[in-house]
Amino acid sequence: MTTNRRKFLQGTAALGAASLGGFPHIWSKNGMLARAANGQIKVGVLFSLTGTTAIIEESLNKATIMAIEEINAAGGINGMEIVPVVEDPASDPATFAEKARKLVLSDKCVSVFGSYTSASRKAVLPVFEKQNNLYWYPTLYEGRECSKNVIYTGAVPNQQQDDFVPWLLENFGKRWYLIGSNYIYPKEENNYCKKLLAELGGEVVAEEYVPLGHSEFSSVINKLKAEKPDVIFSTVVGDSVVALHRQYHAAGLDPETMPMASLTTSENEVAAMGGAAAAGHFTSAPYFMVWDSPENQKFVEAYRSRWGGDKVTHFVSEPSYFQIYLFKQAVEKLAASDIDPNTIREAVKGEQFQAPQGLVKVEPENLHTWLRPKIGRCKSDGQFEILKQSADWLEPDPYKAYSNQSCTAEGLKEV
Amino acid sequence: MELVVSQLLTGLSIASILMLVALGLAVIYGVTGVINLAHGEFVMLGAYCAWFLQTEFGLGLIASLVPIFIVLALFGWIIEALVIRHLYNRPLDTILATWGIGVMAQQAVRLMAGGELRYVEMPAALSSSVNIFGATESAYRLFILGLALSLFALTWYIYRHTAFGLKLRAITQNRDIASSFGINSGRVYRATFAYGAGIAGLAGALVSPLKSVSPEMGTTYVVDAFMVVVLGGTQSLFGTVASSGILGELSGFLAFHSNDTIAKALVLLAIVILIRFRPQGLFAARVRT
């Protein structure tokens, strides 16, 4: 009883303080917004812990939780504690939307960190736009989205390809075979790839999509043998990546003359296909586990001591980690009474952070992130050898494949 | 010439995997009439056994085949004794029960082995490729083809030339009369179910070096297996071989000339049309019902 009463009293006191400090807010339309209170900053963590994509999303959840723990252990944000509310959307887009609604409306989180697949992001988007809350999305994705309610910390097509495609053209040749899983992400990546190839004088010998989860690649391999492309540009995802690499290897094809250049093969997939099948193929990403920087060394060590010595970090778990620090820096600039999704969005614009992958920055116009992609060649021990880092910091442009559209702070502009 | 050979080989290697996966289902369904929706999970468990034996005991894939067959056969035996036995002649209930067993197996594996994709090493001796009439084919895929054919031959032999097979055929034709001649049909059913599960386990172990191993992998195989069995005729072993051959070559051919997405759709369409006009499948065994 006493605790209840004490809580009740504290609650009334807080309410009194809030209405004193924030009286005008009640009448402004921001009055309905979720906001931080009682020395606590509530945030949602929305990664699947069960279901088909739990394999990857679990690692994103772990990286997120670890960053929150680190920040809290170091004294929180201006003395306030970050309180994560963890929900399990079970790899199901509808559940994603439902849990997002709960986190925003009933838990009153000021931000939610979540999603791996585009399908789940698309499912929660209306919730965040309607409630004017903020969603932080760590995955590389196909671009072509412009929302003031999402902070995107993964790479978009131009960031993964601008450096990668010319390099491959120069080192391996002009005849490209595009292969992807049959859904939106590979198609958008290939749209951009075809645009680049047209500009740079490359040639697309085939563009092919296999069903999601497809695991029988003997026909594809037969076509590769007949076509003999210089580069196989692969956006096959999930367990199909593993099957494709293993069957390519078993068929005796040679990565020296016909390498696969992938945007989706990370340390995770390599562990499942084995180093022998992965060796010699290329991936472009802003982050690799072997990236040599003091921040990354610290990140990998902390991750392994927190979650187990055999765990790998990869190009989606790293953004899951650093985006919490971007959130921290944004909130740090705000007064304790003024922490809500709107102020956080404004505060995070242009914010920079020395992440494990290097310096990153949130682009004020489209809320995507400036990154420096790297080209890695896989070795037989299952790790990548980094051959090259892009000379420039690459600006995120989610509409680069569509020259008549661009994403601005005011929304999508048709040019 | 080279292209034709390599096209044929591609079809054959797709067919061999289809046949491996479907054989266990065909045996179980053909004899006991049980529609085993957990078949894909038997395949998955076989793959996980291979992974487990390899990581825990350092056992190579070929050496693990016999233990995997035994483990899965034992598992099938237990499932039959605990669940299936009570559900003969209740097809709807068996579908539900076996589906439930499948879900449980998936979740149990996820809890015990974790959800991440697992790696099973290919036998080193078979990881090269072989030249046949100018076309190259993976040695491992040829090995699978050979093994699938030998398993079929073995099953055929048991079915046609052993006392057990005679009882089996008797039961398939008419269970009641066979029982009245002193055949213990319950035991024959259990042995059949165990044998089918064991073969499914072998299929899982054999595909694991070519594909990925995950708790959900069974779901695609069960569809393929049913496709083969339905097309081939549910009570014909020969039908299983012929229909996996046809499906393999057909999807290989279609995928080469269009892509895998279209090939899959066209193959399914062809099967739908075929069973519209020939519901018993291509090869129907003559049985009394």
Side-chain angles (χ1 to χ4, degrees), chain A residues 247-263:
Chain A
Q247 290 168 34
Y248 174 105
H249 182 63
L253 298 179
D254 183 9
E256 290 282 328
T257 51
M258 199 198 288
M260 283 197 261
S262 170
L263 304 178

PDB file of all heavy atoms in Angstrom, chain A residues 247-263:
ATOM      1  N   GLN A 247      26.776 -23.830 -53.509  1.00  0.00           N
ATOM      2  CA  GLN A 247      26.612 -24.559 -54.766  1.00  0.00           C
ATOM      3  C   GLN A 247      27.559 -24.014 -55.838  1.00  0.00           C
ATOM      4  O   GLN A 247      28.048 -24.767 -56.677  1.00  0.00           O
ATOM      5  CB  GLN A 247      25.141 -24.517 -55.186  1.00  0.00           C
ATOM      6  CG  GLN A 247      24.305 -25.371 -54.235  1.00  0.00           C
ATOM      7  CD  GLN A 247      22.817 -25.174 -54.394  1.00  0.00           C
ATOM      8  OE1 GLN A 247      22.313 -24.938 -55.476  1.00  0.00           O
ATOM      9  NE2 GLN A 247      22.093 -25.281 -53.281  1.00  0.00           N
ATOM     10  N   TYR A 248      27.815 -22.720 -55.805  1.00  0.00           N
ATOM     11  CA  TYR A 248      28.818 -22.115 -56.691  1.00  0.00           C
ATOM     12  C   TYR A 248      30.166 -22.795 -56.446  1.00  0.00           C
ATOM     13  O   TYR A 248      30.868 -23.201 -57.375  1.00  0.00           O
ATOM     14  CB  TYR A 248      28.887 -20.623 -56.373  1.00  0.00           C
ATOM     15  CG  TYR A 248      29.967 -19.826 -57.090  1.00  0.00           C
ATOM     16  CD1 TYR A 248      29.638 -18.984 -58.142  1.00  0.00           C
ATOM     17  CD2 TYR A 248      31.298 -19.878 -56.676  1.00  0.00           C
ATOM     18  CE1 TYR A 248      30.605 -18.229 -58.786  1.00  0.00           C
ATOM     19  CE2 TYR A 248      32.275 -19.132 -57.306  1.00  0.00           C
ATOM     20  CZ  TYR A 248      31.929 -18.317 -58.362  1.00  0.00           C
ATOM     21  OH  TYR A 248      32.894 -17.566 -58.986  1.00  0.00           O
ATOM     22  N   HIS A 249      30.499 -22.922 -55.169  1.00  0.00           N
ATOM     23  CA  HIS A 249      31.785 -23.524 -54.806  1.00  0.00           C
ATOM     24  C   HIS A 249      31.842 -24.999 -55.207  1.00  0.00           C
ATOM     25  O   HIS A 249      32.829 -25.461 -55.783  1.00  0.00           O
ATOM     26  CB  HIS A 249      31.985 -23.377 -53.302  1.00  0.00           C
ATOM     27  CG  HIS A 249      33.293 -23.905 -52.814  1.00  0.00           C
ATOM     28  ND1 HIS A 249      34.493 -23.372 -53.210  1.00  0.00           N
ATOM     29  CD2 HIS A 249      33.594 -24.921 -51.979  1.00  0.00           C
ATOM     30  CE1 HIS A 249      35.471 -24.032 -52.632  1.00  0.00           C
ATOM     31  NE2 HIS A 249      34.961 -24.983 -51.888  1.00  0.00           N
ATOM     32  N   ALA A 250      30.757 -25.732 -54.935  1.00  0.00           N
ATOM     33  CA  ALA A 250      30.741 -27.164 -55.271  1.00  0.00           C
ATOM     34  C   ALA A 250      30.837 -27.375 -56.775  1.00  0.00           C
ATOM     35  O   ALA A 250      31.386 -28.364 -57.233  1.00  0.00           O
ATOM     36  CB  ALA A 250      29.461 -27.803 -54.727  1.00  0.00           C
ATOM     37  N   ALA A 251      30.297 -26.429 -57.555  1.00  0.00           N
ATOM     38  CA  ALA A 251      30.335 -26.579 -59.013  1.00  0.00           C
ATOM     39  C   ALA A 251      31.719 -26.267 -59.576  1.00  0.00           C
ATOM     40  O   ALA A 251      31.945 -26.396 -60.776  1.00  0.00           O
ATOM     41  CB  ALA A 251      29.295 -25.673 -59.665  1.00  0.00           C
ATOM     42  N   GLY A 252      32.621 -25.817 -58.715  1.00  0.00           N
ATOM     43  CA  GLY A 252      33.983 -25.585 -59.150  1.00  0.00           C
ATOM     44  C   GLY A 252      34.180 -24.274 -59.900  1.00  0.00           C
ATOM     45  O   GLY A 252      35.147 -24.122 -60.639  1.00  0.00           O
ATOM     46  N   LEU A 253      33.262 -23.326 -59.749  1.00  0.00           N
ATOM     47  CA  LEU A 253      33.468 -22.020 -60.370  1.00  0.00           C
ATOM     48  C   LEU A 253      34.538 -21.255 -59.590  1.00  0.00           C
ATOM     49  O   LEU A 253      34.775 -21.516 -58.423  1.00  0.00           O
ATOM     50  CB  LEU A 253      32.155 -21.222 -60.405  1.00  0.00           C
ATOM     51  CG  LEU A 253      31.037 -21.873 -61.225  1.00  0.00           C
ATOM     52  CD1 LEU A 253      29.788 -21.024 -61.189  1.00  0.00           C
ATOM     53  CD2 LEU A 253      31.487 -22.086 -62.656  1.00  0.00           C
ATOM     54  N   ASP A 254      35.166 -20.283 -60.287  1.00  0.00           N
ATOM     55  CA  ASP A 254      36.340 -19.654 -59.690  1.00  0.00           C
ATOM     56  C   ASP A 254      36.116 -18.160 -59.424  1.00  0.00           C
ATOM     57  O   ASP A 254      35.896 -17.389 -60.356  1.00  0.00           O
ATOM     58  CB  ASP A 254      37.515 -19.837 -60.664  1.00  0.00           C
ATOM     59  CG  ASP A 254      38.800 -19.273 -60.077  1.00  0.00           C
ATOM     60  OD1 ASP A 254      38.806 -18.921 -58.880  1.00  0.00           O
ATOM     61  OD2 ASP A 254      39.787 -19.180 -60.835  1.00  0.00           O
ATOM     62  N   PRO A 255      36.194 -17.758 -58.149  1.00  0.00           N
ATOM     63  CA  PRO A 255      35.995 -16.341 -57.823  1.00  0.00           C
ATOM     64  C   PRO A 255      37.067 -15.418 -58.406  1.00  0.00           C
ATOM     65  O   PRO A 255      36.848 -14.216 -58.493  1.00  0.00           O
ATOM     66  CB  PRO A 255      36.030 -16.306 -56.290  1.00  0.00           C
ATOM     67  CG  PRO A 255      36.387 -17.654 -55.828  1.00  0.00           C
ATOM     68  CD  PRO A 255      36.367 -18.598 -56.973  1.00  0.00           C
ATOM     69  N   GLU A 256      38.190 -15.990 -58.836  1.00  0.00           N
ATOM     70  CA  GLU A 256      39.223 -15.150 -59.452  1.00  0.00           C
ATOM     71  C   GLU A 256      38.736 -14.533 -60.754  1.00  0.00           C
ATOM     72  O   GLU A 256      39.044 -13.393 -61.078  1.00  0.00           O
ATOM     73  CB  GLU A 256      40.477 -15.995 -59.768  1.00  0.00           C
ATOM     74  CG  GLU A 256      41.260 -16.444 -58.553  1.00  0.00           C
ATOM     75  CD  GLU A 256      42.122 -15.319 -57.994  1.00  0.00           C
ATOM     76  OE1 GLU A 256      42.590 -14.484 -58.788  1.00  0.00           O
ATOM     77  OE2 GLU A 256      42.309 -15.281 -56.764  1.00  0.00           O
ATOM     78  N   THR A 257      37.964 -15.330 -61.524  1.00  0.00           N
ATOM     79  CA  THR A 257      37.528 -14.839 -62.830  1.00  0.00           C
ATOM     80  C   THR A 257      36.057 -14.431 -62.836  1.00  0.00           C
ATOM     81  O   THR A 257      35.629 -13.691 -63.707  1.00  0.00           O
ATOM     82  CB  THR A 257      37.717 -15.932 -63.906  1.00  0.00           C
ATOM     83  OG1 THR A 257      37.098 -17.129 -63.413  1.00  0.00           O
ATOM     84  CG2 THR A 257      39.179 -16.205 -64.152  1.00  0.00           C
ATOM     85  N   MET A 258      35.282 -14.938 -61.892  1.00  0.00           N
ATOM     86  CA  MET A 258      33.839 -14.658 -61.897  1.00  0.00           C
ATOM     87  C   MET A 258      33.379 -14.443 -60.460  1.00  0.00           C
ATOM     88  O   MET A 258      32.646 -15.250 -59.904  1.00  0.00           O
ATOM     89  CB  MET A 258      33.121 -15.875 -62.504  1.00  0.00           C
ATOM     90  CG  MET A 258      31.723 -15.616 -63.014  1.00  0.00           C
ATOM     91  SD  MET A 258      30.829 -17.172 -63.194  1.00  0.00           S
ATOM     92  CE  MET A 258      31.616 -17.902 -64.614  1.00  0.00           C
ATOM     93  N   PRO A 259      33.845 -13.342 -59.839  1.00  0.00           N
ATOM     94  CA  PRO A 259      33.534 -13.186 -58.414  1.00  0.00           C
ATOM     95  C   PRO A 259      32.092 -12.761 -58.185  1.00  0.00           C
ATOM     96  O   PRO A 259      31.484 -12.133 -59.054  1.00  0.00           O
ATOM     97  CB  PRO A 259      34.478 -12.052 -57.997  1.00  0.00           C
ATOM     98  CG  PRO A 259      34.645 -11.237 -59.225  1.00  0.00           C
ATOM     99  CD  PRO A 259      34.585 -12.198 -60.382  1.00  0.00           C
ATOM    100  N   MET A 260      31.564 -13.114 -57.018  1.00  0.00           N
ATOM    101  CA  MET A 260      30.269 -12.584 -56.621  1.00  0.00           C
ATOM    102  C   MET A 260      30.520 -11.320 -55.828  1.00  0.00           C
ATOM    103  O   MET A 260      31.352 -11.292 -54.913  1.00  0.00           O
ATOM    104  CB  MET A 260      29.523 -13.597 -55.774  1.00  0.00           C
ATOM    105  CG  MET A 260      28.925 -14.700 -56.613  1.00  0.00           C
ATOM    106  SD  MET A 260      27.673 -15.596 -55.713  1.00  0.00           S
ATOM    107  CE  MET A 260      28.621 -17.011 -55.208  1.00  0.00           C
ATOM    108  N   ALA A 261      29.812 -10.278 -56.202  1.00  0.00           N
ATOM    109  CA  ALA A 261      29.904  -9.011 -55.493  1.00  0.00           C
ATOM    110  C   ALA A 261      28.571  -8.796 -54.808  1.00  0.00           C
ATOM    111  O   ALA A 261      27.552  -8.680 -55.463  1.00  0.00           O
ATOM    112  CB  ALA A 261      30.174  -7.890 -56.478  1.00  0.00           C
ATOM    113  N   SER A 262      28.598  -8.803 -53.488  1.00  0.00           N
ATOM    114  CA  SER A 262      27.343  -8.846 -52.756  1.00  0.00           C
ATOM    115  C   SER A 262      27.159  -7.606 -51.897  1.00  0.00           C
ATOM    116  O   SER A 262      28.123  -7.000 -51.432  1.00  0.00           O
ATOM    117  CB  SER A 262      27.333 -10.084 -51.869  1.00  0.00           C
ATOM    118  OG  SER A 262      26.245 -10.028 -50.994  1.00  0.00           O
ATOM    119  N   LEU A 263      25.894  -7.234 -51.710  1.00  0.00           N
ATOM    120  CA  LEU A 263      25.587  -6.153 -50.786  1.00  0.00           C
ATOM    121  C   LEU A 263      25.006  -6.717 -49.502  1.00  0.00           C
ATOM    122  O   LEU A 263      24.658  -5.985 -48.592  1.00  0.00           O
ATOM    123  CB  LEU A 263      24.572  -5.198 -51.418  1.00  0.00           C
ATOM    124  CG  LEU A 263      24.964  -4.604 -52.773  1.00  0.00           C
ATOM    125  CD1 LEU A 263      23.851  -3.716 -53.300  1.00  0.00           C
ATOM    126  CD2 LEU A 263      26.256  -3.805 -52.656  1.00  0.00           C
TER     127      LEU A 263
END
